Amino acid sequence: MTSADTAQPEAAEARPVRIVDAPLAPPSANLGLLSVFQKRYLLRLLVRREVQARYAGSVMGLFWSYINPLSQFFIYWFVMGHIMGAHRNVENYPIHVFSGMVVVHFFTETFGSGTRSIVRNKSLVNRLALPREMFPVSAMLVSLYHVFPATVILVIAALATGWVPDIGTLFGILLALGIIMFLGTALALMFSVANVFWRDFGSAVGIMTNFVRFGVPMIYSYAQVHEKFGHFAQYYLANPIANAVLLFQRAFWVRATDDPEKTLRTGMPHHLWTNGLIALGCSVVLLVIAQLVFNKFENRIPERL
Amino acid sequence: MVESIRVEHVTKNFTLQYHRTFKQMTVAMAKGQDVSNTFTAVDDVSFSVQQGESIGLMGLNGSGKSTLLKVINGVMRPDKGQVLTRGRIAGLIATGAGFHPQLTGRENIYLNAAVMGLTEKETDKIFDEVVEFADIGRFLDVPVNTYSSGMKSRLGFSVAVHIDSDIFLADEVLAVGDKYFKRKCLAKMEEIRNSGRTIFYVSHAEASVKRMCERVLVLEKGKLAFDGPVEEGIHYFQYGEELTGEEDELALEDAELGADI
């Protein structure tokens, strides 16, 4: 973009003519999310900044991102499994909980930090003409980055309990992460701009994530939902996050039970893949809507920050 | 000559929100008071700048200088009219933006440059100059939160002036560093001016405007009140002010600053 004839100005009198090879254009022009991916280098640095800064000055560094999911795993395994007795109702309960938890965590982290992202980056938003979608998107990518250590723990724990992956494992993981990536970014976009106008939204997100945690078959199993709700369970499945959780459980938990085929029949909904694809489609549509909402309100962001 | 910045009938309104909470808003509405109001920060401003011109933008506090700069920079979009610019914009408006206190000086240079639109290669190219100009020595690989405030602003300034932009926006240039660094900055600014880049310089300091610019714009309550040669512009700018004893002192300081240059 910048090409210039910068002959060294020896004499201040005769200034060189700088030829700018660019058209006259509005300085604030941007294509929303598309611009974010045009600026991949900056996006990468912003993501790295967040990740590095989180563990800066700590001796154990990135190791903490393994300890955190590991500790949660033990809490669920011990409190829910042994004290509340979930081990009796759900086969291989720890893997059941943990495969749900990876997805739920990814979502709540994206939603929470995404919502705060624009207000938190006030100094940048207020002074530079960056595409503002950059901040919710990088919040999502930081959360995605943290899915990795949790998945490593999950794989180790699953292998220890007799997990045999199949081709559905791969598709299940990809589809589940895809749903959360789109859905999380869509919600983060809308809530980040809403949070600029009313900080109430930041507080509301905390409450909503509580519902998310209990609105998916993580602590309890889908079989229990089906048993209690009968055919109303289909409304339960309208929740895209529940579908993502089920897909992740299909990838890990189902394959780690004694008889995967039987678990698939009794413990999973019938149209798992169709539901998953519909959830992905809805999330993509929601992202488009979110971008439109964002465009409508983003002009007012700098003056309200 | 090629047009570098074109500002056409630009108006920017702000919404003033008097009340934040629901309770306050209900009370205000019941009493028949305004809940919000609009305020015109920049009012129907038009002008055109040629590539290589250096413009001084003057005006009292609250006259809309910063808003106009933000509109040109692209941070804000005008409510009416349009702004067109040619080429990369950089400058001393976002010095140190995106600095993360826990990252090292080196990491922050890359981050700050990327935020201003540089690629990794472009940053590699200017990196040594940036470090030398900022004069932070062995603090380069230490987290920025251990820097003194002077070092931090020197680093931000240094990145900003080394970016090869077509349009250079400068706000509060002389607010950083000690006398020695200020002198270095002004020399750098002149170098930038002499390289044929468009300069948009916001300042109260008449001496430095006189030194740096060849055209002056004066804003008054959001309206463009003067557009013309430097001497007349500065005269116009002073004319509106009542010279009290205090301002005489300020004028004196400004002259001293001028002598510094």
Side-chain angles (χ1 to χ4, degrees), chain A residues 2 9 15-16 18 20 22 24-28 49 52-53 126-130 132 197 298-300 303, chain B residues 13 15 20 51-52 70 72-75 77 85-86 88 93 98 100 102 111 115 164-166 194 197 214:
Chain A
T2 309
R15 280 193 216 158
R18 188 185 176 98
V20 183
L24 269 178
S28 55
R49 175 185 78 169
Q52 277 180 345
N126 246 337
R127 294 195 287 179
L128 286 167
L130 297 170
R132 301 191 175 103
F197 291 88
E298 75 159 337
N299 277 353
R300 294 271 159 218
E303 62 189 80
Chain B
N13 296 315
T15 312
R20 288 292 292 205
Q51 181 67 46
K70 280 186 177 174
I72 293 173
N73 184 26
V75 170
R77 276 177 214 167
T85 55
R86 192 191 302 278
R88 174 183 281 158
I93 35 171
H100 200 292
Q102 309 211 301
L111 191 63
V115 159
D164 184 35
S165 63
D166 302 306
N194 293 339
R197 292 153 71 173
E214 53 203 16

Side-chain angles (χ1 to χ4, degrees), chain B residues 111-144:
Chain B
L111 191 63
N112 193 218
V115 159
M116 308 248 216
L118 262 66
T119 62
E120 194 167 5
K121 269 189 203 141
E122 285 171 313
T123 315
D124 287 338
K125 226 181 283 170
I126 61 167
F127 187 81
D128 292 338
E129 281 175 67
V130 170
V131 174
E132 203 196 309
F133 190 87
D135 194 21
I136 50 170
R138 61 204 176 83
F139 279 84
L140 182 60
D141 288 306
V142 183
V144 165

Side-chain angles (χ1 to χ4, degrees), chain A residues 226-241:
Chain A
H226 192 75
E227 194 180 300
K228 299 248 157 64
F229 290 168
H231 75 276
F232 284 107
Q234 60 179 308
Y235 299 111
Y236 179 87
L237 289 177
N239 175 6
I241 308 164

Side-chain angles (χ1 to χ4, degrees), chain B residues 75-96:
Chain B
V75 170
M76 289 181 176
R77 276 177 214 167
D79 292 318
K80 278 187 217 130
Q82 68 166 350
V83 176
L84 298 172
T85 55
R86 192 191 302 278
R88 174 183 281 158
I89 304 175
L92 303 169
I93 35 171
T95 51

Side-chain angles (χ1 to χ4, degrees), chain B residues 42-54:
Chain B
V42 175
D43 192 358
D44 195 27
V45 169
S46 301
F47 59 87
S48 162
V49 179
Q50 302 300 315
Q51 181 67 46
E53 263 191 300
S54 44

